[in-house]
Amino acid sequence: MKTLILVRHAKSDWPENTDDFDRPLAESGLQDAVKMSNFLRNQNIAIDKMVSSPALRALNTCEIFHKTYPVAMETNPKLYNANENNFESVIYELTDEVKSVAMFSHNNGISNFANMMSGDIFAFPTCGVAGFQVDCESWADFEGAKKKLLFFYEPKKI
């Protein structure tokens, strides 16, 4: 079994003359990311590796989680403005030693990908987190594997 955890970046700010890619986290986003990462740890949710969009708001969210989960962390440009195929492509790049991966990305792609896996309708709030059990031993078998929603957490509800 594998675990896939999808994390939408925390609340961002949009200062004047700032490109979308370079938007920083808002103060409330910083607080939510700390709160959510600690909540996941307290729920005994394991993360072996983190993969983030290189956009500043996603990367900053990932870096905050990294303080709680000091595991391997990398960026992948496929997770910026990602569609469902981009997420799958990043998953296929994972080694099978990784049992649980957290992917940090953006809407609408992250919600669409979660919807595709579960059949439910997800609307990820900022710093929302969904965890899926993937019934496979190898990430290479992801597409055909049965997927089950394990949890969905929103910062305002924890």
mmCIF file of all heavy atoms in Angstrom, residues 55-94:
data_model
loop_
_atom_site.group_PDB
_atom_site.id
_atom_site.type_symbol
_atom_site.label_atom_id
_atom_site.label_comp_id
_atom_site.label_asym_id
_atom_site.label_seq_id
_atom_site.Cartn_x
_atom_site.Cartn_y
_atom_site.Cartn_z
ATOM 1 N N ALA A 55 6.527 27.294 -7.258
ATOM 2 C CA ALA A 55 5.957 28.613 -6.991
ATOM 3 C C ALA A 55 6.115 28.923 -5.502
ATOM 4 O O ALA A 55 5.938 28.054 -4.646
ATOM 5 C CB ALA A 55 4.497 28.668 -7.404
ATOM 6 N N LEU A 56 6.427 30.175 -5.190
ATOM 7 C CA LEU A 56 6.820 30.558 -3.838
ATOM 8 C C LEU A 56 5.802 30.150 -2.775
ATOM 9 O O LEU A 56 6.169 29.609 -1.731
ATOM 10 C CB LEU A 56 7.068 32.071 -3.782
ATOM 11 C CG LEU A 56 7.639 32.610 -2.470
ATOM 12 C CD1 LEU A 56 8.981 31.961 -2.154
ATOM 13 C CD2 LEU A 56 7.780 34.124 -2.545
ATOM 14 N N ARG A 57 4.503 30.355 -3.009
ATOM 15 C CA ARG A 57 3.501 30.057 -1.988
ATOM 16 C C ARG A 57 3.420 28.560 -1.693
ATOM 17 O O ARG A 57 3.236 28.161 -0.545
ATOM 18 C CB ARG A 57 2.150 30.638 -2.360
ATOM 19 C CG ARG A 57 1.568 30.127 -3.665
ATOM 20 C CD ARG A 57 0.431 31.034 -4.138
ATOM 21 N NE ARG A 57 -0.186 30.585 -5.368
ATOM 22 C CZ ARG A 57 0.266 30.855 -6.583
ATOM 23 N NH1 ARG A 57 1.378 31.557 -6.750
ATOM 24 N NH2 ARG A 57 -0.386 30.426 -7.645
ATOM 25 N N ALA A 58 3.560 27.724 -2.705
ATOM 26 C CA ALA A 58 3.555 26.273 -2.490
ATOM 27 C C ALA A 58 4.852 25.829 -1.824
ATOM 28 O O ALA A 58 4.839 25.025 -0.885
ATOM 29 C CB ALA A 58 3.355 25.537 -3.812
ATOM 30 N N LEU A 59 5.963 26.353 -2.304
ATOM 31 C CA LEU A 59 7.254 25.982 -1.739
ATOM 32 C C LEU A 59 7.359 26.409 -0.278
ATOM 33 O O LEU A 59 7.840 25.637 0.564
ATOM 34 C CB LEU A 59 8.392 26.591 -2.563
ATOM 35 C CG LEU A 59 9.802 26.238 -2.137
ATOM 36 C CD1 LEU A 59 10.014 24.729 -2.099
ATOM 37 C CD2 LEU A 59 10.815 26.901 -3.063
ATOM 38 N N ASN A 60 6.879 27.603 0.060
ATOM 39 C CA ASN A 60 6.896 28.046 1.456
ATOM 40 C C ASN A 60 6.025 27.154 2.332
ATOM 41 O O ASN A 60 6.388 26.839 3.470
ATOM 42 C CB ASN A 60 6.438 29.492 1.586
ATOM 43 C CG ASN A 60 7.455 30.507 1.096
ATOM 44 O OD1 ASN A 60 7.099 31.664 0.903
ATOM 45 N ND2 ASN A 60 8.699 30.113 0.888
ATOM 46 N N THR A 61 4.880 26.728 1.819
ATOM 47 C CA THR A 61 4.015 25.801 2.562
ATOM 48 C C THR A 61 4.764 24.490 2.808
ATOM 49 O O THR A 61 4.787 23.973 3.929
ATOM 50 C CB THR A 61 2.708 25.548 1.793
ATOM 51 O OG1 THR A 61 2.048 26.791 1.547
ATOM 52 C CG2 THR A 61 1.783 24.616 2.567
ATOM 53 N N CYS A 62 5.402 23.985 1.776
ATOM 54 C CA CYS A 62 6.171 22.749 1.890
ATOM 55 C C CYS A 62 7.312 22.906 2.901
ATOM 56 O O CYS A 62 7.552 22.005 3.722
ATOM 57 C CB CYS A 62 6.712 22.357 0.513
ATOM 58 S SG CYS A 62 7.618 20.805 0.469
ATOM 59 N N GLU A 63 7.989 24.029 2.867
ATOM 60 C CA GLU A 63 9.099 24.254 3.803
ATOM 61 C C GLU A 63 8.622 24.274 5.257
ATOM 62 O O GLU A 63 9.323 23.788 6.148
ATOM 63 C CB GLU A 63 9.820 25.558 3.451
ATOM 64 C CG GLU A 63 10.619 25.452 2.172
ATOM 65 C CD GLU A 63 11.103 26.788 1.619
ATOM 66 O OE1 GLU A 63 10.578 27.852 2.015
ATOM 67 O OE2 GLU A 63 12.019 26.762 0.779
ATOM 68 N N ILE A 64 7.441 24.812 5.490
ATOM 69 C CA ILE A 64 6.886 24.795 6.852
ATOM 70 C C ILE A 64 6.581 23.357 7.272
ATOM 71 O O ILE A 64 6.904 22.948 8.393
ATOM 72 C CB ILE A 64 5.638 25.703 6.933
ATOM 73 C CG1 ILE A 64 6.085 27.170 6.799
ATOM 74 C CG2 ILE A 64 4.870 25.463 8.234
ATOM 75 C CD1 ILE A 64 4.957 28.160 6.593
ATOM 76 N N PHE A 65 5.975 22.578 6.375
ATOM 77 C CA PHE A 65 5.720 21.160 6.676
ATOM 78 C C PHE A 65 7.042 20.425 6.914
ATOM 79 O O PHE A 65 7.114 19.523 7.751
ATOM 80 C CB PHE A 65 4.960 20.504 5.526
ATOM 81 C CG PHE A 65 3.466 20.628 5.604
ATOM 82 C CD1 PHE A 65 2.846 21.861 5.478
ATOM 83 C CD2 PHE A 65 2.666 19.507 5.776
ATOM 84 C CE1 PHE A 65 1.468 21.980 5.532
ATOM 85 C CE2 PHE A 65 1.280 19.616 5.834
ATOM 86 C CZ PHE A 65 0.678 20.860 5.714
ATOM 87 N N HIS A 66 8.071 20.811 6.183
ATOM 88 C CA HIS A 66 9.379 20.164 6.301
ATOM 89 C C HIS A 66 9.977 20.333 7.693
ATOM 90 O O HIS A 66 10.728 19.477 8.163
ATOM 91 C CB HIS A 66 10.327 20.705 5.225
ATOM 92 C CG HIS A 66 11.600 19.940 5.120
ATOM 93 N ND1 HIS A 66 12.787 20.430 5.589
ATOM 94 C CD2 HIS A 66 11.873 18.715 4.611
ATOM 95 C CE1 HIS A 66 13.738 19.550 5.370
ATOM 96 N NE2 HIS A 66 13.204 18.497 4.783
ATOM 97 N N LYS A 67 9.642 21.421 8.366
ATOM 98 C CA LYS A 67 10.130 21.609 9.744
ATOM 99 C C LYS A 67 9.501 20.573 10.673
ATOM 100 O O LYS A 67 10.124 20.143 11.635
ATOM 101 C CB LYS A 67 9.819 23.026 10.233
ATOM 102 C CG LYS A 67 10.649 24.075 9.534
ATOM 103 C CD LYS A 67 10.270 25.468 9.977
ATOM 104 C CE LYS A 67 11.070 26.494 9.178
ATOM 105 N NZ LYS A 67 10.588 27.859 9.423
ATOM 106 N N THR A 68 8.264 20.188 10.391
ATOM 107 C CA THR A 68 7.573 19.172 11.189
ATOM 108 C C THR A 68 7.957 17.769 10.738
ATOM 109 O O THR A 68 8.050 16.856 11.554
ATOM 110 C CB THR A 68 6.041 19.372 11.071
ATOM 111 O OG1 THR A 68 5.723 20.715 11.429
ATOM 112 C CG2 THR A 68 5.285 18.421 11.970
ATOM 113 N N TYR A 69 8.160 17.615 9.442
ATOM 114 C CA TYR A 69 8.526 16.328 8.834
ATOM 115 C C TYR A 69 9.864 16.503 8.117
ATOM 116 O O TYR A 69 9.886 16.810 6.925
ATOM 117 C CB TYR A 69 7.481 15.912 7.794
ATOM 118 C CG TYR A 69 6.147 15.479 8.329
ATOM 119 C CD1 TYR A 69 5.097 16.389 8.494
ATOM 120 C CD2 TYR A 69 5.906 14.141 8.626
ATOM 121 C CE1 TYR A 69 3.859 15.972 8.949
ATOM 122 C CE2 TYR A 69 4.665 13.717 9.082
ATOM 123 C CZ TYR A 69 3.654 14.640 9.249
ATOM 124 O OH TYR A 69 2.425 14.227 9.693
ATOM 125 N N PRO A 70 10.990 16.328 8.805
ATOM 126 C CA PRO A 70 12.290 16.516 8.153
ATOM 127 C C PRO A 70 12.653 15.321 7.253
ATOM 128 O O PRO A 70 13.467 14.474 7.606
ATOM 129 C CB PRO A 70 13.254 16.677 9.323
ATOM 130 C CG PRO A 70 12.589 15.959 10.458
ATOM 131 C CD PRO A 70 11.108 16.051 10.232
ATOM 132 N N VAL A 71 12.000 15.250 6.093
ATOM 133 C CA VAL A 71 12.203 14.165 5.134
ATOM 134 C C VAL A 71 12.701 14.762 3.820
ATOM 135 O O VAL A 71 12.800 15.978 3.672
ATOM 136 C CB VAL A 71 10.890 13.373 4.913
ATOM 137 C CG1 VAL A 71 10.421 12.729 6.216
ATOM 138 C CG2 VAL A 71 9.793 14.255 4.338
ATOM 139 N N ALA A 72 12.982 13.902 2.861
ATOM 140 C CA ALA A 72 13.422 14.364 1.545
ATOM 141 C C ALA A 72 12.382 15.312 0.955
ATOM 142 O O ALA A 72 11.180 15.068 1.050
ATOM 143 C CB ALA A 72 13.646 13.175 0.620
ATOM 144 N N MET A 73 12.875 16.381 0.351
ATOM 145 C CA MET A 73 11.997 17.401 -0.215
ATOM 146 C C MET A 73 12.581 17.848 -1.547
ATOM 147 O O MET A 73 13.789 18.018 -1.667
ATOM 148 C CB MET A 73 11.938 18.584 0.756
ATOM 149 C CG MET A 73 11.027 19.706 0.336
ATOM 150 S SD MET A 73 11.051 21.033 1.571
ATOM 151 C CE MET A 73 12.034 22.220 0.676
ATOM 152 N N GLU A 74 11.712 18.014 -2.550
ATOM 153 C CA GLU A 74 12.170 18.499 -3.856
ATOM 154 C C GLU A 74 11.061 19.304 -4.513
ATOM 155 O O GLU A 74 9.895 19.221 -4.098
ATOM 156 C CB GLU A 74 12.591 17.346 -4.756
ATOM 157 C CG GLU A 74 11.458 16.427 -5.151
ATOM 158 C CD GLU A 74 11.927 15.224 -5.964
ATOM 159 O OE1 GLU A 74 12.927 14.590 -5.587
ATOM 160 O OE2 GLU A 74 11.261 14.915 -6.970
ATOM 161 N N THR A 75 11.435 20.082 -5.505
ATOM 162 C CA THR A 75 10.431 20.797 -6.292
ATOM 163 C C THR A 75 10.312 20.116 -7.647
ATOM 164 O O THR A 75 11.244 19.462 -8.118
ATOM 165 C CB THR A 75 10.802 22.283 -6.505
ATOM 166 O OG1 THR A 75 12.035 22.357 -7.201
ATOM 167 C CG2 THR A 75 10.894 23.022 -5.183
ATOM 168 N N ASN A 76 9.127 20.285 -8.246
ATOM 169 C CA ASN A 76 8.899 19.761 -9.584
ATOM 170 C C ASN A 76 8.010 20.760 -10.321
ATOM 171 O O ASN A 76 6.873 20.992 -9.891
ATOM 172 C CB ASN A 76 8.246 18.384 -9.528
ATOM 173 C CG ASN A 76 8.235 17.704 -10.867
ATOM 174 O OD1 ASN A 76 7.883 18.306 -11.877
ATOM 175 N ND2 ASN A 76 8.614 16.433 -10.890
ATOM 176 N N PRO A 77 8.512 21.346 -11.410
ATOM 177 C CA PRO A 77 7.731 22.359 -12.131
ATOM 178 C C PRO A 77 6.410 21.836 -12.687
ATOM 179 O O PRO A 77 5.512 22.620 -12.983
ATOM 180 C CB PRO A 77 8.669 22.817 -13.246
ATOM 181 C CG PRO A 77 9.717 21.768 -13.356
ATOM 182 C CD PRO A 77 9.816 21.103 -12.019
ATOM 183 N N LYS A 78 6.255 20.517 -12.790
ATOM 184 C CA LYS A 78 4.993 19.948 -13.282
ATOM 185 C C LYS A 78 3.835 20.224 -12.325
ATOM 186 O O LYS A 78 2.675 20.108 -12.713
ATOM 187 C CB LYS A 78 5.133 18.438 -13.489
ATOM 188 C CG LYS A 78 6.095 18.052 -14.582
ATOM 189 C CD LYS A 78 6.251 16.551 -14.632
ATOM 190 C CE LYS A 78 7.346 16.145 -15.596
ATOM 191 N NZ LYS A 78 7.621 14.705 -15.515
ATOM 192 N N LEU A 79 4.131 20.580 -11.075
ATOM 193 C CA LEU A 79 3.084 20.816 -10.085
ATOM 194 C C LEU A 79 2.599 22.270 -10.066
ATOM 195 O O LEU A 79 1.713 22.611 -9.288
ATOM 196 C CB LEU A 79 3.549 20.392 -8.681
ATOM 197 C CG LEU A 79 3.777 18.890 -8.514
ATOM 198 C CD1 LEU A 79 4.266 18.580 -7.104
ATOM 199 C CD2 LEU A 79 2.504 18.107 -8.827
ATOM 200 N N TYR A 80 3.171 23.115 -10.919
ATOM 201 C CA TYR A 80 2.681 24.495 -11.056
ATOM 202 C C TYR A 80 1.720 24.524 -12.241
ATOM 203 O O TYR A 80 2.064 24.056 -13.326
ATOM 204 C CB TYR A 80 3.847 25.460 -11.272
ATOM 205 C CG TYR A 80 3.425 26.907 -11.415
ATOM 206 C CD1 TYR A 80 2.808 27.575 -10.364
ATOM 207 C CD2 TYR A 80 3.638 27.596 -12.601
ATOM 208 C CE1 TYR A 80 2.419 28.896 -10.486
ATOM 209 C CE2 TYR A 80 3.251 28.923 -12.734
ATOM 210 C CZ TYR A 80 2.637 29.567 -11.676
ATOM 211 O OH TYR A 80 2.251 30.875 -11.798
ATOM 212 N N ASN A 81 0.513 25.049 -12.023
ATOM 213 C CA ASN A 81 -0.546 25.015 -13.047
ATOM 214 C C ASN A 81 -0.767 23.587 -13.540
ATOM 215 O O ASN A 81 -0.913 23.339 -14.735
ATOM 216 C CB ASN A 81 -0.221 25.930 -14.224
ATOM 217 C CG ASN A 81 -0.366 27.387 -13.869
ATOM 218 O OD1 ASN A 81 -1.136 27.746 -12.985
ATOM 219 N ND2 ASN A 81 0.380 28.227 -14.543
ATOM 220 N N ALA A 82 -0.794 22.646 -12.608
ATOM 221 C CA ALA A 82 -0.847 21.224 -12.942
ATOM 222 C C ALA A 82 -2.255 20.779 -13.331
ATOM 223 O O ALA A 82 -3.243 21.251 -12.786
ATOM 224 C CB ALA A 82 -0.369 20.402 -11.743
ATOM 225 N N ASN A 83 -2.295 19.830 -14.263
ATOM 226 C CA ASN A 83 -3.539 19.117 -14.548
ATOM 227 C C ASN A 83 -3.370 17.688 -14.030
ATOM 228 O O ASN A 83 -2.318 17.341 -13.480
ATOM 229 C CB ASN A 83 -3.884 19.168 -16.045
ATOM 230 C CG ASN A 83 -2.836 18.505 -16.913
ATOM 231 O OD1 ASN A 83 -2.174 17.544 -16.499
ATOM 232 N ND2 ASN A 83 -2.679 18.992 -18.124
ATOM 233 N N GLU A 84 -4.389 16.872 -14.200
ATOM 234 C CA GLU A 84 -4.347 15.516 -13.665
ATOM 235 C C GLU A 84 -3.139 14.731 -14.197
ATOM 236 O O GLU A 84 -2.509 13.974 -13.456
ATOM 237 C CB GLU A 84 -5.643 14.763 -14.010
ATOM 238 C CG GLU A 84 -6.883 15.341 -13.362
ATOM 239 C CD GLU A 84 -7.571 16.464 -14.139
ATOM 240 O OE1 GLU A 84 -6.886 17.219 -14.861
ATOM 241 O OE2 GLU A 84 -8.792 16.602 -14.015
ATOM 242 N N ASN A 85 -2.826 14.894 -15.467
ATOM 243 C CA ASN A 85 -1.685 14.177 -16.057
ATOM 244 C C ASN A 85 -0.362 14.604 -15.432
ATOM 245 O O ASN A 85 0.549 13.783 -15.291
ATOM 246 C CB ASN A 85 -1.641 14.379 -17.569
ATOM 247 C CG ASN A 85 -2.797 13.700 -18.276
ATOM 248 O OD1 ASN A 85 -3.360 12.728 -17.777
ATOM 249 N ND2 ASN A 85 -3.167 14.222 -19.432
ATOM 250 N N ASN A 86 -0.246 15.882 -15.057
ATOM 251 C CA ASN A 86 0.979 16.352 -14.413
ATOM 252 C C ASN A 86 1.187 15.649 -13.073
ATOM 253 O O ASN A 86 2.305 15.217 -12.752
ATOM 254 C CB ASN A 86 0.945 17.865 -14.185
ATOM 255 C CG ASN A 86 0.978 18.653 -15.466
ATOM 256 O OD1 ASN A 86 -0.050 19.130 -15.919
ATOM 257 N ND2 ASN A 86 2.138 18.794 -16.057
ATOM 258 N N PHE A 87 0.112 15.535 -12.287
ATOM 259 C CA PHE A 87 0.220 14.854 -10.993
ATOM 260 C C PHE A 87 0.654 13.411 -11.198
ATOM 261 O O PHE A 87 1.551 12.924 -10.508
ATOM 262 C CB PHE A 87 -1.116 14.898 -10.235
ATOM 263 C CG PHE A 87 -1.412 16.231 -9.613
ATOM 264 C CD1 PHE A 87 -2.214 17.148 -10.266
ATOM 265 C CD2 PHE A 87 -0.888 16.567 -8.369
ATOM 266 C CE1 PHE A 87 -2.497 18.380 -9.688
ATOM 267 C CE2 PHE A 87 -1.161 17.801 -7.789
ATOM 268 C CZ PHE A 87 -1.973 18.711 -8.455
ATOM 269 N N GLU A 88 0.018 12.727 -12.140
ATOM 270 C CA GLU A 88 0.380 11.330 -12.397
ATOM 271 C C GLU A 88 1.829 11.210 -12.851
ATOM 272 O O GLU A 88 2.540 10.295 -12.431
ATOM 273 C CB GLU A 88 -0.566 10.714 -13.421
ATOM 274 C CG GLU A 88 -1.937 10.458 -12.858
ATOM 275 C CD GLU A 88 -2.869 9.753 -13.833
ATOM 276 O OE1 GLU A 88 -2.546 9.647 -15.030
ATOM 277 O OE2 GLU A 88 -3.937 9.306 -13.372
ATOM 278 N N SER A 89 2.275 12.122 -13.676
ATOM 279 C CA SER A 89 3.657 12.100 -14.145
ATOM 280 C C SER A 89 4.646 12.209 -12.982
ATOM 281 O O SER A 89 5.651 11.501 -12.939
ATOM 282 C CB SER A 89 3.874 13.243 -15.146
ATOM 283 O OG SER A 89 5.214 13.304 -15.553
ATOM 284 N N VAL A 90 4.353 13.079 -12.025
ATOM 285 C CA VAL A 90 5.219 13.219 -10.839
ATOM 286 C C VAL A 90 5.179 11.935 -10.013
ATOM 287 O O VAL A 90 6.209 11.469 -9.518
ATOM 288 C CB VAL A 90 4.799 14.452 -10.000
ATOM 289 C CG1 VAL A 90 5.571 14.512 -8.680
ATOM 290 C CG2 VAL A 90 5.007 15.733 -10.803
ATOM 291 N N ILE A 91 4.011 11.330 -9.880
ATOM 292 C CA ILE A 91 3.882 10.078 -9.131
ATOM 293 C C ILE A 91 4.730 8.979 -9.768
ATOM 294 O O ILE A 91 5.415 8.226 -9.075
ATOM 295 C CB ILE A 91 2.394 9.664 -9.037
ATOM 296 C CG1 ILE A 91 1.669 10.605 -8.072
ATOM 297 C CG2 ILE A 91 2.242 8.201 -8.628
ATOM 298 C CD1 ILE A 91 0.162 10.531 -8.132
ATOM 299 N N TYR A 92 4.721 8.897 -11.101
ATOM 300 C CA TYR A 92 5.494 7.852 -11.783
ATOM 301 C C TYR A 92 7.001 8.037 -11.646
ATOM 302 O O TYR A 92 7.765 7.102 -11.857
ATOM 303 C CB TYR A 92 5.092 7.752 -13.259
ATOM 304 C CG TYR A 92 3.692 7.223 -13.448
ATOM 305 C CD1 TYR A 92 2.798 7.854 -14.293
ATOM 306 C CD2 TYR A 92 3.247 6.097 -12.757
ATOM 307 C CE1 TYR A 92 1.498 7.377 -14.463
ATOM 308 C CE2 TYR A 92 1.951 5.615 -12.907
ATOM 309 C CZ TYR A 92 1.091 6.263 -13.762
ATOM 310 O OH TYR A 92 -0.188 5.789 -13.913
ATOM 311 N N GLU A 93 7.433 9.226 -11.246
ATOM 312 C CA GLU A 93 8.860 9.491 -11.022
ATOM 313 C C GLU A 93 9.321 9.039 -9.637
ATOM 314 O O GLU A 93 10.517 9.016 -9.358
ATOM 315 C CB GLU A 93 9.153 10.980 -11.204
ATOM 316 C CG GLU A 93 8.962 11.463 -12.627
ATOM 317 C CD GLU A 93 9.080 12.979 -12.768
ATOM 318 O OE1 GLU A 93 9.463 13.658 -11.796
ATOM 319 O OE2 GLU A 93 8.783 13.483 -13.869
ATOM 320 N N LEU A 94 8.384 8.685 -8.755
ATOM 321 C CA LEU A 94 8.744 8.284 -7.389
ATOM 322 C C LEU A 94 9.375 6.895 -7.379
ATOM 323 O O LEU A 94 8.987 6.026 -8.153
ATOM 324 C CB LEU A 94 7.499 8.265 -6.493
ATOM 325 C CG LEU A 94 6.810 9.602 -6.262
ATOM 326 C CD1 LEU A 94 5.458 9.383 -5.575
ATOM 327 C CD2 LEU A 94 7.691 10.531 -5.437
#
